[in-house]
Each structure stands twice: as structure tokens, then as C-alpha cells.
Amino acid sequence: LFRSNLPSAFAVPMVTSAIPAIAAYVAQRRTKDAGQILGATLKLMNLLAMPMAVGMGVLAAPIMGALYGDTEPVAGQILMVLSAAGYGVCIMMVTNAILQAYGFERLVRRSGIQVQGKKALVLGSGGASVSICEALRSMNATPVVVSRHGPIDYDHISDQSDAAWLVNTTPVGMYPNIDSSPLDLTLLPNLRGVLDIVYNPPVTRLMTQAQSLGLPALSGLYMLVAQARRSAELFTNTSISDARVEDIYRIMLDEHP
């Protein structure tokens, strides 16, 4: 049951509903309004996820017994532990989606890219793609999702040649598969820049091609640091300066030449 994405069945609809408003408020720096929606979302998530976790924990042994018989008594104990983890997954999916929207907004701001009124191709259709598309909309950009099985796939990406920006939200190019790239940028002659949320390596093959074409390109390493900054601020009730974020980013870049 845990591996059948039961926690996600609770979390995904809620994240999808809450992210547009939260991303818009974050982009507008209306942190109080964003916090109120986040608080309400987490309360509702607790209302749904807690009974799921408790029920799965209490019924762990009967569930596993019905599935596998009495030959594996430890299976019930494992599911009992995983039920608590399932609760954590639900909460994590909400907070991760919000932090991704925040981190991407900070990445765009640092890059100097002007996305307003522009078409942006977003590679991938996973959770990060949902958050980033909403963040782009809050910046008055027009995101267009490209995925393997969606209405716009990679085989027809040349039809999107008017796109100004490209955002990669897939893991293609991440270590250890550093020689991989999600697409050939020459298919998009009107591109003005590339953002790749892959953070390891800090310069991906996609970024290398973008730079060879004279396009600005930035990795997800800064986005990762920005997300960590916001998490630390919320957890410790302190404020971390932009200069400190930049210092940490530079240190991490130096550690991954």
C-alpha cells in the first residue's frame, strides 16, 4: 500500500490546489498571505494524513497477513514503521513544492532573466514542474510543459521554436549520468537562456551547449541553496542575508569545479 503511492494520493491534489496562490504571493513578496495559505494547507493535510498513518499502523499486521499469509510476520512490523513515514511523505510533499517555487523564483531573480511576457518551455511533468510552472505564471510568463507522454513531446519540440526560455525540471544530466542532455538546443533557435534545476554537476551538458551558443545558463545549485535558506529561516525563526546565501553558493561551486 505504501509503495502504491497512497500518501501521494492525499498530497498531490492538495499541493496542486495550493501552489498557484502560494507561488503568486511569494513572487509578489506577500509572505504573510503565503504563510496563511501554507498554514491552512498543512492543517488540512494533517487532518487527512494522520488518520491514514494511524489506520495503516494499527492494521499493518492484518493487511500484510491478508497479502502474504503468516509466513512473514516481520512484514507487519515493517508496514507499521512505514505508516509513520507515510505521514512524513505527505507533509514533505507540501513543503517541498512550496520551497521549490520559492527557490526557483530566487534563481530567476539572480539570473537576471526577464521572463515576463515570454514563453518558457518546461521539460518534465513531475512535482518540480508543477511548482515551477506556477512560479512562472506568477511572473507573467507562459510555461509550456514538454514531456515524454504529454500533448507536447520531445519528438515535436521544434514546433515550439518561438520559445524564449527553457527550464529543465527532469533529472537528465544529473550525476552520475553527466553526459546526458534532455534535448538539442539548436532545435530552438529563438532561445534567450536556459535554467537547469539539476544541481550536481553545477554545470550540466545542457548548460554547456547553451553557453557554446552564447546563451546565459544557470544550474539548480543556487535554487537548492535558496531553498535551504528558507527552510533554515522557518525552522530557527531567524533571517539569513542574501550575502550569506551568495557566500554559501560560491563555496559549493568551489567544491565542485
Side-chain angles (χ1 to χ4, degrees):
L1 289 174
F2 184 81
R3 291 183 63 86
S4 66
N5 291 323
L6 180 59
S8 301
F10 289 93
V12 170
M14 199 165 300
V15 169
T16 304
S17 300
I19 280 297
I22 294 175
Y25 284 144
V26 168
Q28 298 165 15
R29 302 187 186 182
R30 295 169 58 182
T31 55
K32 184 176 180 180
D33 292 327
Q36 289 177 343
I37 295 178
L38 172 58
T41 302
L42 287 173
K43 288 178 181 177
L44 185 55
M45 178 59 72
N46 272 285
L47 183 64
L48 295 174
M50 186 65 75
M52 178 274 297
V54 172
M56 187 179 292
V58 171
L59 298 174
I63 290 172
M64 299 307 287
L67 292 174
Y68 301 106
D70 297 328
T71 57
E72 298 291 343
V74 72
Q77 300 171 15
I78 294 174
L79 183 59
M80 187 179 298
V81 173
L82 289 178
S83 66
Y87 170 79
V89 167
C90 290
I91 302 301
M92 181 190 69
M93 290 184 70
V94 176
T95 55
N96 276 2
I98 294 161
L99 287 171
Q100 284 172 343
Y102 171 84
F104 182 74
E105 187 269 337
R106 301 294 297 190
L107 177 66
V108 172
R109 188 186 303 179
R110 186 186 185 280
S111 70
I113 288 175
Q114 300 298 317
V115 299
Q116 294 83 357
K118 307 299 182 183
K119 179 178 178 178
L121 293 186
V122 180
L123 306 185
S125 57
S129 174
V130 173
S131 301
I132 286 171
C133 283
E134 293 304 336
L136 285 167
R137 291 188 185 97
S138 71
M139 300 176 207
N140 297 317
T142 304
V144 176
V145 174
V146 180
S147 64
R148 289 174 296 176
H149 306 295
I152 301 175
D153 58 28
Y154 291 91
D155 293 334
H156 300 89
I157 199 166
S158 58
D159 295 340
Q160 308 298 321
S161 59
D162 59 332
W165 303 103
L166 181 78
V167 182
N168 178 37
T169 72
T170 76
V172 177
M174 181 174 282
Y175 179 85
N177 302 312
I178 60 174
D179 292 327
S180 300
S181 180
L183 54 75
D184 181 3
L185 295 177
T186 59
L187 297 172
L188 302 168
N190 293 307
L191 277 185
R192 300 184 185 181
V194 172
L195 295 174
D196 190 343
I197 71 167
V198 169
Y199 53 84
N200 183 19
V203 179
T204 63
R205 189 174 185 124
L206 180 68
M207 292 174 58
T208 299
Q209 185 186 18
Q211 292 165 352
S212 71
L213 295 172
L215 301 174
L218 199 61
S219 79
L221 185 59
Y222 188 85
M223 176 177 166
L224 181 70
V225 175
Q227 290 176 222
R229 175 248 195 113
R230 188 57 183 150
S231 296
E233 286 180 334
L234 293 171
F235 189 75
T236 61
N237 196 29
T238 57
S239 179
I240 300 173
S241 67
D242 290 342
R244 180 57 178 156
V245 172
E246 188 68 24
D247 289 342
I248 296 172
Y249 172 64
R250 292 294 177 184
I251 291 171
M252 295 184 71
L253 275 181
D254 291 341
E255 291 178 352
H256 297 84

